[in-house]
Amino acid sequence: WGQEKREDNELFEMLSLEGAQSGLSWKTILHKREAYRKAFSGFDIDKVASMTEDDVEKLMTMKPASKNNSYDVVVRHRGKLNSVVNNAKIIQQMKSDGSIDSFGDYLWSFVDDKPILSQWTDVKEAPNKTEESEMMSKTLKKQGFKFVGPTTCYAFMQSCGMVIDHPMGSKWWREAEKRLKKRTGGYQIH
């Protein structure tokens, strides 16, 4: 969390998991992460884009291997599962029509390719969305992406290192600041 991620499939995974988490506890999705990776071919964009309605139906009816372990199946929410396939198809389309070269570069453009180091001192001050996440959400929705509201986009930005939201002065904030000072291309302070 808070470490820069740039690779297309890795970012697609994080965006998909944040969408799956919408309205649920992050812990639930974190425990099911391997099930999601298995269900969606390691979040390989091209493989996910080729999934059919029958594939989604199989995920909807999949049962846990045991009653004591529900972590080996995804959350059975048709809209969220369909959104992963939908979003993969949109990424493919954007690449094929030349709108983007890289999904990573596209997403990082919302922060001008520079991570944002937050300046708040108390967890209570942390926002759940920002201008950047609202712009990302609005733009992705316009492209046809699903489950990418501004709060989901902000959580995604945090998870991928676009935003570092540790309280200023904390051990993790100082480590992030030290890392960012060495970063080619710089960073932003908000």
Side-chain angles (χ1 to χ4, degrees), residues 57-79:
E57 188 59 35
K58 286 176 190 169
L59 296 176
M60 288 293 296
T61 58
M62 198 176 232
K63 302 284 185 217
S66 73
K67 289 182 180 181
N68 298 330
N69 183 11
S70 66
Y71 296 145
D72 60 350
V73 295
V74 298
V75 174
R76 290 172 279 193
H77 183 293
R78 189 176 306 279

Side-chain angles (χ1 to χ4, degrees), residues 112-171:
D112 296 325
D113 202 35
K114 295 177 183 179
I116 297 168
L117 183 61
S118 296
Q119 296 288 293
W120 53 269
T121 57
D122 188 298
V123 163
K124 294 173 189 164
E125 296 174 37
N128 62 7
K129 61 184 177 180
T130 60
E131 284 182 30
E132 293 86 357
S133 73
E134 288 178 350
M135 181 57 70
M136 179 185 283
S137 172
K138 182 178 178 181
T139 305
L140 290 174
K141 285 179 180 181
K142 188 174 180 181
Q143 292 287 343
F145 283 79
K146 305 290 184 202
F147 284 91
V148 290
T151 301
T152 297
C153 286
Y154 192 67
F156 164 75
M157 295 167 86
Q158 291 171 313
S159 70
C160 296
M162 293 177 189
V163 175
I164 292 84
D165 253 354
H166 300 296
M168 191 168 81
S170 69
K171 172 188 171 192

